[in-house]
Amino acid sequence: MTLLNASLNEQPEATAARLQAVARAEAAAAVASGEADAVGLTGSLSTGRLWPSSDLDILLPSDLVSRHRFRWTVREGVVIHGVLTPWEPLEALRTGYPDSFINTAKGEWILDAVWALDGLLQMVPLQDPEGRLAALRAFAREHRFASEVVEPRRPLLLDVARRGCEGAAARIKEGKPEWARWSYRQGFEALGFLWLEAGRRITSHKELDPVLGEIGVALGEPGLQQAFRRTAGVEGCPERGPAIRDAFAELLRLYSPALDSLLKAGEPANRTLAVELPDFVYARHQILSVAYAVPRGCWLHLAGLAELLDEAGVAEINFAWLARAAARTGAPGIPEERALLAARDRARTALALAPWEDRLAGLRELIALSERRFGT
């Protein structure tokens, strides 16, 4: 059964059972092969906040690994994000506390470090023969929101947000919007971390929008959710919700059989495509997620899909390449390249984020709001 057929009408308990089976198989294989000493499940499956479009995130610590690195694989049509890491940096979070927690908010790129820290709180050990992952999770849960961690992080996160805003503005001025995304995202996410910590919350990016709404109400900042939407350029998306949903449904209808033809064919003859195939599967997770984001009001999640469809984006999915590779498999029902590209263009038009100038103005306003709130 393909991901498309399994997911369109899938109930939450069926989604959980399907992904748990894949996770157990992946964890057993990682330990049996010697790739990892233990395996921890992170991401939405570990929290129970699943969508049928959810993928899998796993932590793979090993004494034999010399450096932190990522690996993407596909098992039964599901993308698995694996983080291979030595034990030492994980154990250092405990032995170096509180500086180890505080310092994840420092540097030129903080997202991976903060995600790794927060992932420990919600991690579910799948293979943990010595109990080391369980011990790390217990420590993270006890200390993540301690005042000795949260308060020193606030000025650091605001500094990251300011640098991100300045960097994005500079790239836009230079006529390089594709490079502005990196700085802008860093600034946006830093502010997200800041407010999540104020609300003592951890969430996936796909559900950031409603969670920020709850935090804003709880902290007496009812305009917080709208400020983030304005910064992300999705303020006008709610009124276009049905059109956005329908455009992405049509894109999924054409994209999925093209991708399935490659998955069923096994290892693609094109070596580059074989390396990039997990990216194409991940893109399907994202396209499918629109059907669940729109009725839930998760508009911030949709902002990340714009780059997926943007020919100038660093994370662009080459739809033409996919269509041509699928056509070579000879499978029936493969869409024509021009039809797939036209569907992509319609989805891009329906989503239509606000101009960069408006998003940067929103980011500056959100920084000012955060400075007033936290006094740094």
PDB file of all heavy atoms in Angstrom, residues 157-170:
ATOM      1  N   LEU A 157      18.571  34.363  22.629  1.00  0.00           N
ATOM      2  CA  LEU A 157      17.603  34.111  21.562  1.00  0.00           C
ATOM      3  C   LEU A 157      17.197  35.413  20.871  1.00  0.00           C
ATOM      4  O   LEU A 157      17.036  35.445  19.640  1.00  0.00           O
ATOM      5  CB  LEU A 157      16.379  33.393  22.121  1.00  0.00           C
ATOM      6  CG  LEU A 157      16.610  31.937  22.556  1.00  0.00           C
ATOM      7  CD1 LEU A 157      15.410  31.411  23.334  1.00  0.00           C
ATOM      8  CD2 LEU A 157      16.895  31.048  21.348  1.00  0.00           C
ATOM      9  N   LEU A 158      17.041  36.476  21.635  1.00  0.00           N
ATOM     10  CA  LEU A 158      16.719  37.766  21.022  1.00  0.00           C
ATOM     11  C   LEU A 158      17.866  38.256  20.146  1.00  0.00           C
ATOM     12  O   LEU A 158      17.642  38.834  19.081  1.00  0.00           O
ATOM     13  CB  LEU A 158      16.388  38.796  22.103  1.00  0.00           C
ATOM     14  CG  LEU A 158      14.936  38.781  22.581  1.00  0.00           C
ATOM     15  CD1 LEU A 158      14.779  39.606  23.846  1.00  0.00           C
ATOM     16  CD2 LEU A 158      14.008  39.297  21.493  1.00  0.00           C
ATOM     17  N   ASP A 159      19.086  38.004  20.574  1.00  0.00           N
ATOM     18  CA  ASP A 159      20.235  38.396  19.753  1.00  0.00           C
ATOM     19  C   ASP A 159      20.256  37.614  18.445  1.00  0.00           C
ATOM     20  O   ASP A 159      20.539  38.177  17.379  1.00  0.00           O
ATOM     21  CB  ASP A 159      21.527  38.170  20.535  1.00  0.00           C
ATOM     22  CG  ASP A 159      22.749  38.685  19.787  1.00  0.00           C
ATOM     23  OD1 ASP A 159      22.741  39.874  19.408  1.00  0.00           O
ATOM     24  OD2 ASP A 159      23.698  37.907  19.579  1.00  0.00           O
ATOM     25  N   VAL A 160      19.943  36.332  18.503  1.00  0.00           N
ATOM     26  CA  VAL A 160      19.865  35.525  17.281  1.00  0.00           C
ATOM     27  C   VAL A 160      18.779  36.078  16.363  1.00  0.00           C
ATOM     28  O   VAL A 160      18.963  36.169  15.137  1.00  0.00           O
ATOM     29  CB  VAL A 160      19.589  34.046  17.630  1.00  0.00           C
ATOM     30  CG1 VAL A 160      19.270  33.248  16.361  1.00  0.00           C
ATOM     31  CG2 VAL A 160      20.779  33.425  18.341  1.00  0.00           C
ATOM     32  N   ALA A 161      17.639  36.460  16.932  1.00  0.00           N
ATOM     33  CA  ALA A 161      16.540  37.004  16.132  1.00  0.00           C
ATOM     34  C   ALA A 161      16.940  38.306  15.449  1.00  0.00           C
ATOM     35  O   ALA A 161      16.644  38.525  14.272  1.00  0.00           O
ATOM     36  CB  ALA A 161      15.312  37.222  17.010  1.00  0.00           C
ATOM     37  N   ARG A 162      17.627  39.177  16.180  1.00  0.00           N
ATOM     38  CA  ARG A 162      18.063  40.450  15.586  1.00  0.00           C
ATOM     39  C   ARG A 162      19.049  40.207  14.454  1.00  0.00           C
ATOM     40  O   ARG A 162      18.952  40.825  13.384  1.00  0.00           O
ATOM     41  CB  ARG A 162      18.699  41.327  16.668  1.00  0.00           C
ATOM     42  CG  ARG A 162      17.748  41.773  17.774  1.00  0.00           C
ATOM     43  CD  ARG A 162      18.451  42.726  18.724  1.00  0.00           C
ATOM     44  NE  ARG A 162      17.697  42.891  19.963  1.00  0.00           N
ATOM     45  CZ  ARG A 162      18.010  42.333  21.132  1.00  0.00           C
ATOM     46  NH1 ARG A 162      19.096  41.548  21.215  1.00  0.00           N
ATOM     47  NH2 ARG A 162      17.276  42.542  22.199  1.00  0.00           N
ATOM     48  N   ARG A 163      20.015  39.322  14.687  1.00  0.00           N
ATOM     49  CA  ARG A 163      21.000  39.031  13.631  1.00  0.00           C
ATOM     50  C   ARG A 163      20.316  38.422  12.413  1.00  0.00           C
ATOM     51  O   ARG A 163      20.669  38.736  11.271  1.00  0.00           O
ATOM     52  CB  ARG A 163      22.076  38.074  14.149  1.00  0.00           C
ATOM     53  CG  ARG A 163      22.997  38.658  15.195  1.00  0.00           C
ATOM     54  CD  ARG A 163      24.302  37.868  15.295  1.00  0.00           C
ATOM     55  NE  ARG A 163      24.108  36.434  15.292  1.00  0.00           N
ATOM     56  CZ  ARG A 163      23.969  35.690  16.385  1.00  0.00           C
ATOM     57  NH1 ARG A 163      23.967  36.266  17.580  1.00  0.00           N
ATOM     58  NH2 ARG A 163      23.835  34.382  16.305  1.00  0.00           N
ATOM     59  N   GLY A 164      19.351  37.562  12.660  1.00  0.00           N
ATOM     60  CA  GLY A 164      18.632  36.954  11.540  1.00  0.00           C
ATOM     61  C   GLY A 164      17.886  37.987  10.734  1.00  0.00           C
ATOM     62  O   GLY A 164      17.885  37.942   9.488  1.00  0.00           O
ATOM     63  N   CYS A 165      17.233  38.916  11.405  1.00  0.00           N
ATOM     64  CA  CYS A 165      16.494  39.975  10.717  1.00  0.00           C
ATOM     65  C   CYS A 165      17.435  40.854   9.907  1.00  0.00           C
ATOM     66  O   CYS A 165      17.168  41.169   8.735  1.00  0.00           O
ATOM     67  CB  CYS A 165      15.723  40.801  11.746  1.00  0.00           C
ATOM     68  SG  CYS A 165      14.643  42.047  11.031  1.00  0.00           S
ATOM     69  N   GLU A 166      18.541  41.244  10.513  1.00  0.00           N
ATOM     70  CA  GLU A 166      19.511  42.097   9.806  1.00  0.00           C
ATOM     71  C   GLU A 166      20.113  41.374   8.606  1.00  0.00           C
ATOM     72  O   GLU A 166      20.274  41.959   7.535  1.00  0.00           O
ATOM     73  CB  GLU A 166      20.622  42.520  10.776  1.00  0.00           C
ATOM     74  CG  GLU A 166      20.140  43.463  11.882  1.00  0.00           C
ATOM     75  CD  GLU A 166      21.167  43.607  12.997  1.00  0.00           C
ATOM     76  OE1 GLU A 166      22.259  42.983  12.880  1.00  0.00           O
ATOM     77  OE2 GLU A 166      20.878  44.322  13.972  1.00  0.00           O
ATOM     78  N   GLY A 167      20.439  40.094   8.784  1.00  0.00           N
ATOM     79  CA  GLY A 167      21.018  39.327   7.688  1.00  0.00           C
ATOM     80  C   GLY A 167      20.050  39.155   6.535  1.00  0.00           C
ATOM     81  O   GLY A 167      20.428  39.290   5.367  1.00  0.00           O
ATOM     82  N   ALA A 168      18.796  38.870   6.847  1.00  0.00           N
ATOM     83  CA  ALA A 168      17.792  38.700   5.791  1.00  0.00           C
ATOM     84  C   ALA A 168      17.570  40.010   5.048  1.00  0.00           C
ATOM     85  O   ALA A 168      17.474  40.026   3.814  1.00  0.00           O
ATOM     86  CB  ALA A 168      16.484  38.202   6.394  1.00  0.00           C
ATOM     87  N   ALA A 169      17.506  41.109   5.781  1.00  0.00           N
ATOM     88  CA  ALA A 169      17.307  42.416   5.140  1.00  0.00           C
ATOM     89  C   ALA A 169      18.462  42.743   4.205  1.00  0.00           C
ATOM     90  O   ALA A 169      18.264  43.278   3.102  1.00  0.00           O
ATOM     91  CB  ALA A 169      17.151  43.498   6.200  1.00  0.00           C
ATOM     92  N   ALA A 170      19.677  42.394   4.628  1.00  0.00           N
ATOM     93  CA  ALA A 170      20.850  42.662   3.789  1.00  0.00           C
ATOM     94  C   ALA A 170      20.813  41.836   2.508  1.00  0.00           C
ATOM     95  O   ALA A 170      21.142  42.341   1.421  1.00  0.00           O
ATOM     96  CB  ALA A 170      22.127  42.373   4.578  1.00  0.00           C
TER      97      ALA A 170
END
